[in-house]
Amino acid sequence: MPEPSFHLPTPGQPVDELAVAEIKGAILAKLRLAIGKEAGQATRQDWYHATALTLRDRIVHRWLTAEKESYDAGRKRVYYLSLEFLIGRLFTDALNNMGLLKVFETALGDLGVGLWDLRKCEPDAALGNGGLGRLAACFMDSMATLAIPAMGYGIRYDFGLFRQVIVDGWQQEYPDVWLNFGNPWEFQRPEVVYHVHFGGGVEHVDDKGRDRAIWHPGETVQAVAYDTPIVGWRGQHVNALRLWSARSPDPLKLDVFNRGDYLGASAEESRAEAICKFLYPNDESAAGRELRLRQEYFFVSASLQDLVQRHLGADGQLRSLAQKAALQLNDTHPSLAVAELMRILVDLHYFRWDEAWKITVATLSYTNHTLLPEALETWPVEIFERLLPRHLEIIYRINAAHLAQAEARCPGDIDFRAAVSLIDERAGRRVRMGQLAFVGSHRINGVSAMHSELMKETVFNDLNHLYPDRITNKTNGITFRRWLMLANPKLTLLLRQSCGEAVLDDPSELAGLESHASDSGFQQKFRDVKRHNKVALARLIGERQNVKVDPSALFDVQIKRIHEYKRQLLNILETVALYQAIRDQPKRNWVPRVKIFAGKAAASYRYAKLIIKLINDVAAIVNNDPAIEDRLKIVFLDDYNVSLAEMIIPAADLSEQISTAGMEASGTGNMKLALNGALTIGTLDGANIEIRDHVGADNIAIFGMEAGDVMVRRKQGLDATDVIRGSPQLARAINAIGAGEFSPGEPSRFESIAHALRYLDHYMVSADFDSYYAAQRGIDARWQVAPAWTRASILNVARMAWFSSDRTIREYAEDIWNVPVGATAPSAAAAQRGVTG
């Protein structure tokens, strides 16, 4: 088939008629030969699959070419291990990156099919929970865009996280059946199968004077590969996302089946398949905790076996592994890679321990995403002894050498050795996975400047003292292809018209927008785009929630995982206070607001689920109060995912980034919202600091305590009654929640929340309330001066170039992975230029 054009048409440019004809013929051929239907009998789902397969064919050409070229050139490869890849819908993303969006839209139109209707047929791949998985997806896009040979490794979850349904205000969880109609983007690789072992025991034998360990496992699970091509910008490079599915080597015990035990005959298959059923199984039970560890080892072992085999096929020996492979651990979930790579090198390829350790440390690097000690996974030694006995031995030996180094650094300091040990002896012996990843990696990076510095001072203070050159910073970024071009096409068109076509390739060209920021005519065009997006979101809210919202109101958005430190509670508490103030002064000129919440709480996180219920109960009262009219509406949009984010973000006026200072590693929602012209209200936490530095302090609303203030107040105690006594608004709002004003059928429903706000204010909700409330009233005042608000909104867009994930990946490539950026990538100078305010 002829090579398609990979250039985006400029506005008004006609589409290549030959390319359109070729695509029409290819879609019809797929419909008949791959789907088995004629056009007249095809459903919309059939058309989607035929079109996706047509596009996939064109991607594969580039994919195979890129793979061959990188291996022929002997290029170093990056392997990105993540338990989550929140890739969202791939259809229009791939079309856009391949430069074929307009061609396919025209071809389908000629066939009487709407491209954007087909997009709705594609489910969001349910492979992640939030920012961690979406970051991994953005990084895969940027590695392909920068022509860095790379492969992502993860798990092909049958049902992903869960589908969130709100019933009577409560979150309920259901399986997310995203694979019901198959997945046209993936290639099953039945020939790529690895055995992953669990349990059993370890035998030590003398092998010519060397101790050799032989693991005799008690259980074996097979990992089967599924590959999804990830297309870079302009389609010039394609990498693969390889996801593992679990199965039993013996799927059906026929003798057991023939005895009539039909369930028992497939018990081993069910146990194996449980590994890839759900992301993050409930770990309140012992069985849930065991399944979580089995998931982590399963994908780590399969991935390392695969990359070692790939390396041996290309290079023939493993001593060069660190020179040819860079392995990035995305958070603590893949930390077992340290012990597994040592096992492969020492037990299977007979390397001496010291040489294997040098190779392991030089190959691995680790991204930390949290400052919460409880979020750095630990596992009871007992579960390791039972599931991974050889790995526990390896960890003990790593720890012995590590503690010897600690003793040499601080002789006789028992407390220091206990602090850095890989085994926590304080409350039952537990393996510390964050420490394991730190010790086994040559670089450990935080994901914002503040986060990286706080890592040195808090969770990894002692390890940083022992290994002072390892921690570095790589502030997160987002892919503008997805979060601007696709999510906000009308704004993208305006940017192309005002900044030039180069803005599609070089984010720094956004700076050209600054010269238009005060122009009244351009401001009106900018407001027209925002209103168009708000009308679309208002329609969606009406359809899904049966709540009518006014697109002229200020759309105030908090969309993220529901967690106490992210402080959705602070937001709804301020909403209650605002509601009370509007009722008290109904004739005041209040700024109309729509409070929009979305996000999932972990299935076992009862307090977070209670916060969701509180939001919905407050919404039920406020939205139906005739005295309020349209001055305040509250919406909780359920089942938050990438596609919903693509609807909300372009319509947002205000971005809520209000985490407790010192607790958010970075955030990327803050970047997406600012890029689309939302003003940020937030604490000096995570990447908010760098956003302020880039967009300018006048174009962001900062409130609340800083990280140092939070630590000081925590030392003083968590009782907030002193704060509440000095804040009548806060006291009244807490009393209303605690007394059941928003839960009249069950007045005590939210007593625990009111109690925590008064006496256990760990996340500083009460302590920061007055500052937050004042900042929100400052937002009201700014909103009422439309030219000034629009100017600030435009400047947010103009100054966000530095937050491209292409910039982040360049920094990883240069400082951590030591891999060159490919020749086909956008120019380094263009990607590196930032815009500061």
Side-chain angles (χ1 to χ4, degrees):
M1 69 182 64
E3 282 284 296
S5 168
F6 293 94
H7 297 288
L8 289 180
T10 55
Q13 180 183 17
V15 179
D16 186 335
E17 292 184 6
L18 290 176
V20 169
E22 187 262 324
I23 294 298
K24 283 163 58 178
I27 292 172
L28 290 171
K30 284 292 181 189
L31 197 60
R32 173 176 285 213
L33 300 176
I35 310 300
K37 288 188 178 180
E38 297 288 356
Q41 288 74 48
T43 66
R44 191 169 68 171
Q45 193 75 38
D46 296 329
W47 281 107
Y48 161 67
H49 273 264
T51 305
L53 291 171
T54 300
L55 175 59
R56 193 183 74 169
D57 285 351
R58 282 137 189 82
I59 293 170
V60 168
H61 287 298
R62 294 299 174 100
W63 183 15
L64 298 180
T65 298
E67 186 87 350
K68 183 177 186 303
E69 288 175 350
S70 67
Y71 273 112
D72 287 348
R75 295 185 63 192
K76 188 174 184 179
R77 305 180 70 81
V78 174
Y79 298 96
Y80 196 84
L81 270 65
S82 180
L83 202 60
E84 299 183 34
F85 285 94
L86 198 59
I87 55 179
R89 290 168 167 163
L90 293 177
F91 181 44
T92 49
D93 192 51
L95 279 171
N96 187 51
N97 279 7
M98 288 289 284
L100 294 171
L101 195 56
K102 194 65 179 176
V103 172
F104 269 69
E105 185 176 21
T106 304
L108 286 166
D110 289 350
L111 294 169
V113 180
L115 182 144
W116 298 101
D117 289 332
L118 295 192
R119 184 177 187 267
K120 298 173 185 175
C121 294
E122 181 181 12
D124 275 55
L127 304 173
N129 180 23
L132 180 80
R134 186 54 228 170
L135 180 76
C138 285
F139 280 4
M140 289 300 297
D141 179 289
S142 285
M143 282 186 271
T145 291
L146 298 178
I148 296 171
M151 178 170 278
Y153 282 121
I155 295 179
R156 183 180 181 268
Y157 302 102
D158 293 345
F159 300 109
L161 183 63
F162 57 80
R163 180 169 57 90
Q164 180 194 54
V165 176
I166 303 299
V167 179
D168 191 28
W170 291 100
Q171 171 179 294
Q172 295 188 5
E173 302 93 24
Y174 295 90
D176 192 336
V177 287
W178 71 284
L179 288 170
N180 256 10
F181 290 93
N183 180 5
W185 302 110
E186 67 184 9
F187 291 85
Q188 183 180 6
R189 306 296 194 192
E191 76 283 4
V192 181
V193 179
Y194 295 99
H195 290 88
V196 178
H197 305 299
F198 296 97
V202 182
E203 176 188 5
H204 288 266
V205 299
D206 183 280
D207 184 6
K208 299 178 182 178
R210 291 175 59 186
D211 176 74
R212 185 173 160 222
I214 303 172
W215 182 14
H216 300 288
E219 178 188 2
T220 298
V221 173
Q222 289 183 336
V224 183
Y226 288 77
D227 289 350
T228 299
I230 304 296
V231 187
W233 181 233
R234 303 289 188 186
Q236 296 182 53
H237 188 89
V238 181
N239 285 323
L241 173 60
R242 174 160 284 183
L243 302 176
W244 301 104
S245 186
R247 72 184 185 195
S248 170
D250 190 6
L252 183 70
K253 292 188 176 297
L254 198 55
D255 57 335
V256 177
F257 186 88
N258 288 334
R259 290 200 302 267
D261 185 0
Y262 306 128
L263 294 178
S266 58
E268 286 188 13
E269 180 73 357
S270 297
R271 178 171 167 80
E273 289 180 349
I275 290 173
C276 60
K277 285 297 181 188
F278 291 98
L279 170 65
Y280 298 141
N282 189 332
D283 59 3
E284 287 187 318
S285 67
R289 290 190 291 275
E290 178 177 319
L291 179 56
R292 175 79 169 264
L293 183 58
R294 284 166 62 85
Q295 284 183 329
E296 293 181 3
Y297 179 63
F298 167 77
F299 104 91
V300 162
S301 178
S303 302
L304 284 177
Q305 290 182 68
D306 189 55
L307 74 86
V308 164
Q309 181 169 301
R310 284 170 162 267
H311 175 79
L312 287 172
D315 214 57
Q317 48 87 29
L318 285 174
R319 282 186 172 82
S320 62
L321 184 65
Q323 287 73 51
K324 293 294 186 179
L327 202 161
Q328 188 73 34
L329 310 179
N330 189 30
D331 212 8
T332 56
H333 309 126
S335 299
L336 276 164
V338 177
E340 177 68 356
L341 185 52
M342 286 297 292
R343 184 187 73 85
I344 290 171
L345 292 173
V346 173
D347 293 0
L348 304 184
H349 294 275
Y350 311 122
F351 278 78
R352 293 188 177 275
W353 181 272
D354 290 346
E355 185 179 9
W357 183 243
K358 289 178 182 177
I359 293 171
T360 295
V361 173
T363 303
L364 300 183
S365 47
Y366 160 51
T367 300
N368 172 270
H369 286 276
T370 184
L371 296 171
L372 302 176
E374 64 270 22
L376 293 173
E377 287 185 314
T378 63
W379 295 102
V381 164
E382 177 275 328
I383 198 171
F384 258 87
E385 287 177 327
R386 184 160 43 82
L387 282 183
L388 301 168
R390 177 55 182 151
H391 296 78
L392 184 60
E393 290 184 346
I394 290 170
I395 289 168
Y396 281 156
R397 185 166 176 182
I398 293 170
N399 199 36
H402 165 60
L403 291 180
Q405 193 169 341
E407 173 64 18
R409 176 62 64 90
C410 299
D413 191 336
I414 297 174
D415 291 338
F416 180 70
R417 291 203 306 275
V420 300
S421 176
L422 305 186
I423 308 298
D424 186 349
E425 307 278 359
R426 294 171 299 180
R429 304 181 70 236
R430 302 180 71 90
V431 181
R432 294 165 156 168
M433 303 308 288
Q435 282 81 348
L436 176 64
F438 192 112
V439 171
S441 300
H442 69 283
R443 281 285 187 274
I444 296 88
N445 71 280
V447 290
S448 72
M450 178 187 184
H451 172 232
S452 297
E453 288 306 308
L454 286 175
M455 279 169 55
K456 299 176 184 179
E457 299 170 12
T458 57
V459 290
F460 292 137
N461 177 267
D462 296 296
L463 284 169
N464 183 57
H465 181 66
L466 188 57
Y467 305 101
D469 60 338
R470 291 196 181 182
I471 294 180
T472 184
N473 179 59
K474 297 290 167 277
T475 298
N476 284 343
I478 58 174
T479 171
F480 289 18
R481 271 86 58 183
R482 167 81 72 158
W483 294 108
L484 180 62
M485 297 180 200
L486 276 179
N488 204 340
K490 286 193 174 295
L491 179 57
T492 302
L493 180 58
L494 184 61
L495 295 174
R496 293 166 73 181
Q497 293 168 342
S498 56
C499 301
E501 289 298 305
V503 75
L504 297 174
D505 299 291
D506 180 359
S508 70
E509 293 295 325
L510 287 171
L513 208 59
E514 293 211 33
S515 62
H516 303 281
S518 299
D519 180 84
S520 59
F522 184 83
Q523 284 192 355
Q524 186 58 54
K525 293 179 182 178
F526 191 88
R527 282 193 292 267
D528 289 345
V529 168
K530 180 65 75 172
R531 181 170 178 85
H532 169 86
N533 295 329
K534 292 172 73 173
V535 167
L537 180 58
R539 187 182 305 116
L540 178 73
I541 290 169
E543 292 169 355
R544 288 180 56 161
Q545 305 296 118
N546 196 29
V547 176
K548 183 179 180 181
V549 300
D550 182 359
S552 299
L554 189 156
F555 279 20
D556 179 349
V557 168
Q558 188 173 18
I559 45 173
K560 50 186 75 247
R561 178 167 54 96
I562 309 297
H563 196 288
E564 288 172 88
Y565 88 83
K566 294 182 184 289
R567 298 205 294 190
Q568 286 90 354
L569 183 55
L570 176 60
N571 191 345
I572 197 62
L573 187 64
E574 187 272 337
T575 306
V576 169
L578 176 59
Y579 169 63
Q580 292 170 332
I582 294 173
R583 283 188 61 88
D584 290 345
Q585 304 176 60
K587 295 184 179 180
R588 181 175 165 180
N589 185 27
W590 294 100
V591 169
R593 278 192 189 236
V594 180
K595 289 270 193 175
I596 300 169
F597 295 86
K600 297 179 181 180
S604 60
Y605 196 169
R606 294 186 181 89
Y607 196 81
K609 294 166 84 168
L610 187 62
I611 291 171
I612 292 176
K613 175 60 172 170
L614 174 61
I615 293 168
N616 283 291
D617 280 2
V618 173
I621 297 293
V622 173
N623 294 346
N624 293 292
D625 187 340
I628 298 300
E629 297 175 331
D630 286 335
R631 287 172 289 190
L632 181 62
K633 295 289 186 182
I634 305 165
V635 176
F636 190 99
L637 289 167
D638 62 355
D639 205 32
Y640 181 59
N641 56 23
V642 176
S643 297
L644 183 56
E646 290 170 341
M647 287 291 294
I648 296 172
I649 288 171
D653 296 306
L654 186 65
S655 165
E656 297 272 355
Q657 308 298 328
I658 59 177
S659 54
T660 311
M663 301 193 77
E664 182 71 82
S666 167
T668 54
N670 47 7
M671 303 170 192
K672 296 161 193 167
L673 285 152
L675 177 65
N676 282 272
L679 271 62
T680 300
I681 183 169
T683 50
L684 284 176
D685 197 27
N688 289 355
I689 298 170
E690 287 147 295
I691 290 175
R692 177 202 61 181
D693 294 343
H694 281 261
V695 305
D698 292 340
N699 302 306
I700 190 172
I702 298 296
F703 75 93
M705 291 183 287
E706 297 185 23
D709 303 323
V710 170
M711 287 189 276
V712 169
R713 181 164 179 88
R714 283 207 181 120
K715 289 177 182 177
Q716 295 170 345
L718 301 179
D719 190 310
T721 52
D722 58 332
V723 173
I724 296 169
R725 275 195 301 270
S727 175
Q729 285 177 314
L730 173 60
R732 185 181 175 194
I734 293 174
N735 290 339
I737 290 169
E741 289 187 24
F742 299 99
S743 54
E746 186 185 341
S748 63
R749 179 180 295 151
F750 302 117
E751 279 182 353
S752 61
I753 289 179
H755 179 82
L757 290 169
R758 293 183 181 113
Y759 306 114
L760 299 168
D761 192 25
H762 182 75
Y763 296 97
M764 303 294 135
V765 173
S766 293
D768 267 350
F769 175 85
D770 279 353
S771 178
Y772 178 57
Y773 190 87
Q776 288 285 23
R777 303 295 72 77
I779 291 293
D780 286 341
R782 295 187 70 166
W783 178 259
Q784 290 174 315
V785 185
W789 180 279
T790 305
R791 181 179 185 276
S793 181
I794 293 169
L795 290 176
N796 266 265
V797 179
R799 296 173 177 176
M800 284 300 292
W802 189 78
F803 295 93
S804 166
S805 54
D806 296 350
R807 183 270 312 159
T808 311
I809 289 299
R810 282 186 183 276
E811 292 181 3
Y812 274 95
E814 293 168 3
D815 184 43
I816 295 179
W817 302 332
N818 190 29
V819 297
V821 170
T824 60
S827 71
Q832 291 285 19
R833 284 197 294 270
V835 185
T836 57

